[in-house]
Amino acid sequence: MGEHGVIRRYRRFLPVSEDTPVISLNEGGTPLIEAPGIVSKLGGDFHLFVKYEGLNPTASFKDRGMTLAVSKAAERGARIVACASTGNTSASAAAYAARAGMRCLVLIPEGKIAYGKMAQALIHGAQTLEIRGNFDDALEIVRELGKREDVEVVNSINPYRIQGQKTASFEVCDALGEAPDMHFLPVGNAGNITAYWMGYKEYREGGNSSKLPRMMGWQAEGAAPIVLGAPVERPETVATAIRIGNPASWEHAVNAATESSGAIDMVSDEEILDAQRMLARTAGIFVEPASAAGIAGIVKSHSRGDIPNGSTVVVTVTGHGLKDPGVAVENSLAESTVVDADLDSVLAAIGLV
Ligand code: F0G
């Protein structure tokens, strides 16, 4: 892997030319980590690999698509990049716009994005507007803004975002030497499941893999429009990143599940939080709540007998746990203890007297 960043590494699969400036933070190349501890804990008989996308430059998978969207925006001479976001797209857009020397405008739902993500938008100098509404309202406004010539919308309705994000499938196949049997991931605005499916299909067509995984997408119960078959007016979930009631890539997501004999299903907030804690304690991997939806999906699928013995299963964990420290501290069900600064006090506190 001599080349850094998804545009340089996967140029032949991407809509770029010699004239495209490469705006990159060396995204991609994230580890695929085997997690046998979780499988034993579930009493399962399959091989589980975690694609840890929290290790991208802005700590989520969004960077894969953002490098391409911002590079293409720069190529056509756009001056402003804009997005609606539940927090991670805005963090990524802010960083890549800063790198490109472009203005960035982000619209986020008031009071509903995690603290770390707010910090990212602000420190990278994005103009940050909290709207009195939810993500779906923000996206509608951004679609209108995108009609202006000088504005480039970098939500996943921008086709370059999906193109960039599909490189994650390539990396999974490269790491395993073949596509997995099942691929689990959270679903919010539904761009990522669309991108993975596109990537798996292209890689097979190119002769780089010989099979296709079943795509298993997971929404949060309070924000599960695809599962319910109708938009959700007031989506609610602890997993704020996927608090979305009317996903932009709805049909593509349904297609991915149908074509691959997979499914789009839902998990409760409690299942999400249990999965976040289990992943942290059993595999040593810290993810934000939305990212744990795919893990919760594995727990649910396994309990229903939906994961055949001997399968190779990949789960994408989409964002780093440090993005949302508030929920993590609460969900740890643990607390720190203050003691005097001497050995006896420490030994007493841990019960080793
Ligand atoms: N996981 C995380 C951590 C996310 O931030 C998102 C989406 C998803 C999963 C769902 O991915 O939308 O492609 O289905 N976050 C967007 C944002 C909406 O604004 O950051 P999706």
Side-chain angles (χ1 to χ4, degrees):
M1 203 197 292
E3 303 273 14
H4 292 294
V6 300
I7 295 180
R8 296 188 194 97
R9 282 175 46 221
Y10 292 109
R11 175 173 282 276
R12 67 192 188 284
F13 293 95
L14 297 172
V16 290
S17 73
E18 296 288 291
D19 300 329
T20 313
V22 178
I23 313 295
S24 171
L25 288 163
N26 295 5
E27 60 293 317
T30 56
L32 187 68
I33 305 170
E34 192 160 15
I38 294 198
V39 180
S40 343
K41 197 168 174 85
L42 298 179
D45 177 16
F46 56 94
H47 307 282
L48 177 61
F49 296 86
V50 180
K51 182 68 170 159
Y52 196 6
E53 289 286 274
L55 297 189
N56 275 296
T58 76
S60 87
F61 71 98
K62 305 288 182 178
D63 296 339
R64 295 179 182 279
M66 203 56 71
T67 181
L68 203 66
V70 173
S71 296
K72 295 301 282 190
E75 180 178 2
R76 82 162 181 86
R79 292 189 312 118
I80 306 173
V81 303
C83 66
S85 184
T86 55
N88 280 324
T89 297
S90 46
S92 185
Y96 282 81
R99 183 119 188 133
M102 294 164 83
R103 269 178 71 183
C104 182
L105 168 67
V106 308
L107 266 63
I108 54 179
E110 183 187 13
K112 292 291 185 181
I113 81 165
Y115 197 62
K117 302 175 188 178
M118 177 64 99
Q120 290 179 288
L122 296 174
I123 197 72
H124 289 302
Q127 279 184 287
T128 305
L129 300 184
E130 290 188 68
I131 62 151
R132 297 188 190 94
N134 59 32
F135 169 85
D136 305 286
D137 302 321
L139 185 57
E140 259 180 62
I141 298 166
V142 164
R143 282 183 197 270
E144 291 300 313
L145 278 173
K147 291 177 183 161
R148 296 177 51 115
E149 184 60 27
D150 49 350
V151 174
E152 184 80 10
V153 174
V154 295
N155 281 103
S156 55
I157 53 176
N158 179 325
Y160 297 122
R161 278 276 313 280
I162 305 282
Q163 289 287 330
Q165 281 173 212
K166 76 185 179 187
T167 59
S169 303
F170 302 165
E171 289 180 12
V172 168
C173 295
D174 290 346
L176 295 174
E178 177 56 287
D181 297 307
M182 300 176 92
H183 191 120
F184 287 72
L185 77 174
V187 171
N189 212 25
N192 211 27
I193 189 169
T194 303
Y196 268 94
W197 184 234
M198 180 188 283
Y200 279 125
K201 286 195 294 188
E202 284 186 14
Y203 229 39
R204 191 185 64 159
E205 278 156 25
N208 296 290
S209 60
S210 65
K211 62 184 184 189
L212 294 170
R214 294 171 59 199
M215 298 302 302
M216 309 292 289
W218 296 85
Q219 301 199 290
E221 259 177 28
I226 301 178
V227 183
L228 304 174
V232 173
E233 195 75 21
R234 285 191 190 74
E236 274 312 333
T237 168
V238 68
T240 53
I242 53 173
R243 184 174 168 271
I244 293 174
N246 192 12
S249 298
W250 188 319
E251 278 165 34
H252 295 300
V254 170
N255 256 354
T258 311
E259 276 180 37
S260 71
S261 308
I264 296 185
D265 206 335
M266 60 187 176
V267 282
S268 69
D269 278 7
E270 194 184 343
E271 290 168 318
I272 287 172
L273 291 172
D274 285 349
Q276 183 196 34
R277 217 169 38 245
M278 176 180 71
L279 186 65
R281 297 208 176 153
T282 310
I285 298 173
F286 182 24
V287 302
E288 63 170 292
S291 307
I295 303 288
I298 289 174
V299 174
K300 184 159 265 185
S301 296
H302 171 70
S303 73
R304 290 171 175 163
D306 286 348
I307 303 180
N309 283 350
S311 306
T312 297
V313 175
V314 170
V315 58
T316 299
V317 293
T318 44
H320 202 287
L322 290 171
K323 294 260 191 186
D324 198 344
V327 169
V329 169
E330 210 168 299
N331 189 33
S332 69
L333 308 182
E335 50 185 43
S336 59
T337 310
V338 178
V339 295
D340 287 334
D342 60 76
L343 181 61
D344 286 343
S345 304
V346 169
L347 288 173
I350 61 176
L352 279 184
V353 222

